[in-house]
Structure formats: C-alpha cells, structure tokens
Amino acid sequence: MKTSVLGAIHVLGMAKRCRAKVLQASTSEIYGDPEVHPQPETYRGAVNTIGPRACYDEGKRAAETLVMDYHRMNGVNVRIVRIFNTYGPRMHPFDGRVISNFIRQALYGEDLTIFGDGSQTRSFCYRDDLVEGMLRMMDAPDDFPGPVNLGNPGEFTIKELAEVVIELTGSRSRIVYHPRPADDPERRKPDITLARTRLGWEPKVPLREGLRRTIEWFRSIDMAHYRPPTPNY
Ligand code: UDP
C-alpha cells in the first residue's frame, strides 16, 4: 500500500515538475474477486478491504485515483494500464507465482502444488505481448489516459496449467493439492475490446508457445543463483 501510493505521489510530483509522461502499471488485482466475467475497464471491482490481499489491491486502486487526479488537476500526461497475469523468460524463478512455481517444480521432479482444487482460472500473457501493449499505450493520443486492460484473454484453469507444464517439460512430477489462500480470485480474464479498438493491440503468443520459451530459459539458468535466503513460495 505504502509503496504503491507513496511511489505514485513521488512520480506524479516529479512528472508535474518535469512535464514527463507517466505510465502507471496498474493491475487486474484492482478487480478483486470479480463478479463480472470477463472484466471490462468499466467494472469497478470487488476487493475485500480487510483481506490479506487488500494491501496490494487497495494500494493499486488508490494509485489509479492519484494518477487521474494529477491528470485532471495538474494536466499531467498519464497512462494507466491494468496488467493481467504475465510471464516469460527472466521472470524470477522464486517469485512464488504459479508459472514459476510449476516450471521449477516440474524441472526438479518435485510435486506441483495446486492451491485448492485447481478449478480457479487465470489468463496468462506472454511478456513480449505485454511490452508491445505498453509501448502502444505510451504512443497513444494524449487525451486517452486509459485505464486499459492488457492481458491475454485465453483462460485456463490452474489444473490445466499444471498439466500443460508437466507435458511440455516431460516431467514425471505429480500434482498435489494444498489449501487455497484467502480471497484468491475464482476467475480472471481480461476484456480487451478497448485495447483492440484504441491501440490496435492483441496478444500474439499462445500459452503453449510462451511456456515453451519460458521453460527453455528456466532450463538454461543456474537456479541456485536465484534461490532466496528465505523461501517465499
Ligand atoms: N497457485 C497454485 N500453486 C502455486 C502458486 C499459485 O495453485 O504454487 C494458484 C493461486 O492460488 C492462484 C493462481 O495459481 O489461484 C495464480 O496465482 P499467482 O500467485 O500466480 O497469481 P494471482 O493469484 O496474483 O493471479
């Protein structure tokens, strides 16, 4: 919360003084555990304000508010993109997210840890597609601050993801089930109509292809180099 909000204030203050353009990397987390599916930018979200994820979610929501206030009141040139789950080579193997966990586990022959029954869904965007969307947003007309969803609308259950990772790595790992974290969103999929219309953007890399490239990178690195002193997964 502190980082999102104070960081935004500092960046916006500086952008106002220097007349810089600001790209706010917002997130699908601002939709919380959504009641609307897929999620368009007009959906205002369902965040549990007192839940364990609220610190991040509410921080990002407040940051969007600040960005728009600086835009309206101080004429700061801003862009807000709402980034959905993203992955790809050079992601941190120990970031604790599902794709890095599954690939790491599969390559080491460890059990793949599914939280819950694996029926919850996510839509995974390959990093090059996301970067292209961000660049297009920065080049969009100044009267279009967004917010704009950037994500891949291909929706998969976590169980499907585990199975694909096992298949693509050729791993003999098994799948095990652990309790689901509190407030873990049930379904998530971006409505990217706005990005298609205003930016002429849509993702190009399907999940299997993106996973292949990511697995190849995971195979090429020395995982020990990345291992955190205190595991966060
Ligand atoms: N997840 C899982 N096993 C893991 C890590 C995550 O089943 O080892 C699940 C998690 O509960 C969530 C989904 O995968 O339902 C995506 O989790 P992640 O932390 O990658 O992203 P987010 O929840 O922020 O979308």
Side-chain angles (χ1 to χ4, degrees):
M1 173 74 116
K2 208 171 70 184
T3 325
S4 296
V5 174
L6 289 184
I9 291 173
H10 289 313
V11 167
L12 289 162
M14 179 162 286
K16 181 181 158 188
R17 288 194 298 280
C18 306
R19 300 189 201 292
K21 204 191 280 187
V22 175
L23 178 69
Q24 168 64 9
S26 190
T27 166
S28 56
E29 285 284 322
I30 67 114
Y31 298 125
D33 190 1
E35 307 113 321
V36 171
H37 194 80
Q39 295 82 53
E41 290 82 353
T42 47
Y43 175 51
R44 294 188 184 174
V47 173
N48 172 11
T49 58
I50 55 167
R53 299 173 88 99
C55 193
Y56 181 68
D57 299 2
E58 296 292 0
K60 285 295 205 178
R61 290 172 67 90
E64 284 199 7
T65 307
L66 287 166
V67 167
M68 289 310 290
D69 282 348
Y70 270 79
H71 176 60
R72 275 187 294 261
M73 298 173 69
N74 302 111
V76 177
N77 192 349
V78 300
R79 316 288 149 106
I80 301 174
V81 291
R82 292 183 178 155
I83 301 170
F84 283 63
N85 297 62
T86 302
Y87 70 100
R90 303 181 67 84
M91 71 192 300
H92 199 292
F94 292 90
D95 69 359
R97 313 300 299 283
V98 69
I99 289 197
S100 29
N101 278 7
F102 283 180
I103 295 179
R104 225 188 49 241
Q105 290 161 339
L107 292 181
Y108 277 88
E110 295 168 5
D111 295 339
L112 270 65
T113 51
I114 288 187
F115 302 159
D117 64 5
S119 63
Q120 71 270 35
T121 68
R122 293 292 185 276
S123 306
F124 299 101
C125 186
Y126 188 66
R127 57 145 207 217
D128 295 18
D129 285 330
L130 173 70
V131 170
E132 176 64 25
M134 288 172 143
L135 292 173
R136 287 190 190 207
M137 188 57 180
M138 283 307 260
D139 287 340
D142 290 346
D143 64 356
F144 182 57
V148 174
N149 288 338
L150 293 181
N152 191 321
E155 185 185 8
F156 296 85
T157 67
I158 296 305
K159 178 120 191 286
E160 284 169 336
L161 176 71
E163 288 164 354
V164 177
V165 169
I166 287 175
E167 181 200 319
L168 294 179
T169 51
S171 172
R172 298 171 70 168
S173 292
R174 294 175 313 130
I175 291 174
V176 294
Y177 295 87
H178 289 297
R180 186 102 178 267
D183 296 337
D184 191 26
E186 193 57 43
R187 299 186 72 186
R188 182 183 285 157
K189 169 180 168 156
D191 179 332
I192 60 163
T193 310
L194 191 61
R196 277 200 179 103
T197 323
R198 295 299 305 256
L199 308 177
W201 174 88
E202 65 181 1
K204 300 263 180 301
V205 183
L207 182 65
R208 278 174 170 272
E209 176 53 28
L211 284 176
R212 258 186 224 108
R213 296 183 201 173
T214 310
I215 290 165
E216 197 181 321
W217 181 77
F218 269 68
R219 281 192 203 279
S220 75
I221 59 167
D222 176 7
M223 211 83 84
H225 175 72
Y226 293 87
R227 189 178 288 278
T230 313
N232 60 352
Y233 56 93

